[in-house]
């Protein structure tokens, strides 16, 4: 999922996981959250979601990324160290 907000806004992304788990069915809770300042739109003002999906969650993504790890109660910032840790679990 993508959250659009002003970078100066102090959004507590880590605290969103539990409320989302209470509000949404388990399959609908976003595993990844991406915080962006703005999202590109088409000429008909539709969000360009496919571009975000193509970028995925690799290290080349400049926007802050958060991950909801099963068994944890909060989103965690996706860092290089966490990527290495998660890669070792597979």
């Amino acid at each position: 999922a993508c959250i659009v907000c002003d970078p100066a806004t102090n959004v507590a992304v880590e605290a969103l996981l539990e409320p989302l788990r209470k509000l949404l069915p388990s399959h609908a809770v976003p595993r990844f959250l991406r915080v962006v300042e703005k999202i590109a739109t088409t000429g008909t003002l539709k969000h360009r979601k496919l571009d975000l999906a193509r970028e995925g969650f690799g290290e080349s993504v400049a926007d802050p990324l958060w991950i909801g790890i099963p068994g944890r109660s909060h989103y965690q910032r996706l860092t290089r160290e966490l990527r290495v840790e998660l890669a070792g679990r597979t």
Side-chain angles (χ1 to χ4, degrees), residues 36-67:
V36 297
E37 188 173 340
K38 65 180 184 174
I39 189 169
T41 56
T42 66
T44 57
L45 302 177
K46 295 179 182 174
H47 293 132
R48 297 187 57 95
K49 298 176 282 193
L50 191 55
D51 294 344
L52 295 172
R54 282 187 185 130
E55 289 177 12
F57 54 91
E59 289 191 36
S60 63
V61 175
D63 302 315
L65 294 170
W66 299 78
I67 183 171

Side-chain angles (χ1 to χ4, degrees), residues 3 7 18 21 29-30 38 42 48 50 52 61 65 70-73 76 80-82 84 88:
I3 298 174
E18 281 303 312
R21 284 181 175 159
V29 176
K38 65 180 184 174
T42 66
R48 297 187 57 95
L50 191 55
L52 295 172
V61 175
L65 294 170
R72 298 192 186 168
S73 63
Q76 190 170 349
R80 176 176 289 162
E81 294 80 13
L82 184 56
V84 170

